Amino acid sequence: MNIALVAGSTRGTGRGIAVELGRAGYTVYCTGRSTRAARSEMNRPETIEETADLVTAAGGTGIPVQVDHLDEEQVKALVERIEREQGQLDVLVNDVWGGDRLTQWNVPVWEHDLGKGLRLLRLAVDTHIITSHYALPLLSKKPGGLVVEVTDGTKRYNDDHYRLSLFYDQAKTSVTRLAYALSHDLREYGCAAVALSPGFLRSEAMLENFGVTEETWRDWIPNNPTWAVSETPAFAGRAVVALAQDPDKMRWSGQSLDSGSLARVYGFTDLDGSRPDVWRYIDEVEEGGKQADAADYR
């Protein structure tokens, strides 16, 4: 039996990862703050119970646990429960975010709301560190464990691009560095840590923002050609499954990875059978000036 903890799996990439781990037969602890009884400050309808149900429907076992990953006692209790019920932890996915409503785009730091910016950093970085602090003693008990730090943008891209807000920029680059640091802590235990970025994500919120659905998503392409190379949350989920099941996963430890690049290595596809590769598209076409059809990057 394989056991995973997907911290921040209420929606988006976290939900996609949790469901694909379930499809691979994992027991998945699905954590977040939004439940059927109460919404988090995100004030969105998705819940951890829905995610857990999707995990179970996919063939795994989904276990919803309401956790605020800034609360050390709650995180400690979560890991103690996993150890008590399962005796092991094979995969930890740190996907806690919750900063969308706090980010002020294209605003210099002296004009950005300081309280919102600092709250964003706590949600994006402190939650990951707290969760790793309590979960890694269990994960590192046996070789082969995997930690996935979910971020936005590869190291290569983020190193050369300002991410339109000092706070967002710091959050996403910090998470990549966390994976690098964790890889050093875990090396002697035979466990790997990687940073993983999805591409242009067709999350619930993004589809809603663009006024489309998963069935009509192509209607937005005329407004943004890069949307033609977008992907579902399942694509990053399949990347995590491929990494988790790779007996040679240590070759990736400490690296910044993305779903499109890993699809070329492992051969998995998105739900429609394509392999969207948005970061390569941005590099070669959007910024590099190459004349190419977006279909060549799917």
Side-chain angles (χ1 to χ4, degrees), residues 5-10 30-35 38-42 48 64-79 94 96-98 119 122-132 134:
L5 163 58
V6 182
S9 55
T10 311
C30 308
T31 70
R33 296 173 296 167
S34 295
T35 69
R39 293 187 180 189
S40 74
E41 65 192 71
M42 293 289 290
I48 54 172
V65 187
Q66 185 180 29
V67 177
D68 180 344
H69 284 264
L70 282 174
D71 187 317
E72 294 183 36
E73 291 304 315
Q74 290 185 34
V75 177
K76 180 181 178 183
L78 165 68
V79 176
N94 278 321
V96 181
W97 166 228
R119 172 70 174 171
R122 287 219 71 208
L123 287 168
V125 181
D126 290 11
T127 54
H128 291 219
I129 295 173
I130 291 167
T131 305
S132 292
Y134 287 104

Side-chain angles (χ1 to χ4, degrees), residues 45 49 101 255 296:
E49 293 94 342
R101 59 184 289 276
Q255 295 188 42
D296 297 336

Side-chain angles (χ1 to χ4, degrees), residues 81-210:
R81 174 179 171 179
I82 295 172
E83 184 165 23
R84 183 173 63 252
E85 294 178 352
Q86 311 296 340
Q88 67 187 70
L89 180 62
D90 303 289
V91 176
L92 167 63
V93 178
N94 278 321
D95 185 52
V96 181
W97 166 228
D100 291 332
R101 59 184 289 276
L102 301 171
T103 308
Q104 295 171 257
W105 303 108
N106 294 301
V107 172
V109 65
W110 58 90
E111 293 180 6
H112 196 292
D113 184 286
L114 184 60
K116 288 182 177 180
L118 295 177
R119 172 70 174 171
L120 182 156
L121 288 175
R122 287 219 71 208
L123 287 168
V125 181
D126 290 11
T127 54
H128 291 219
I129 295 173
I130 291 167
T131 305
S132 292
H133 174 82
Y134 287 104
L136 294 191
L138 179 58
L139 182 138
S140 63
K141 279 189 172 182
K142 64 175 185 178
L146 174 68
V147 179
V148 179
E149 289 285 339
V150 179
T151 187
D152 174 24
T154 62
K155 182 180 186 300
R156 177 184 175 186
Y157 182 85
N158 288 343
D159 280 353
D160 293 334
H161 293 78
Y162 171 58
R163 299 308 307 272
L164 306 181
S165 160
L166 178 143
F167 296 101
Y168 189 88
D169 190 286
Q170 289 297 303
K172 298 309 177 182
T173 56
S174 294
V175 170
T176 299
R177 188 68 185 186
L178 280 180
Y180 178 76
L182 289 173
S183 73
H184 284 261
D185 291 346
L186 290 168
R187 183 174 298 143
E188 66 178 284
Y189 301 95
C191 299
V194 302
L196 177 68
S197 175
F200 204 163
L201 190 70
R202 298 203 299 274
S203 65
E204 301 89 346
M206 191 65 75
L207 291 169
E208 185 178 292
N209 287 341
F210 291 166

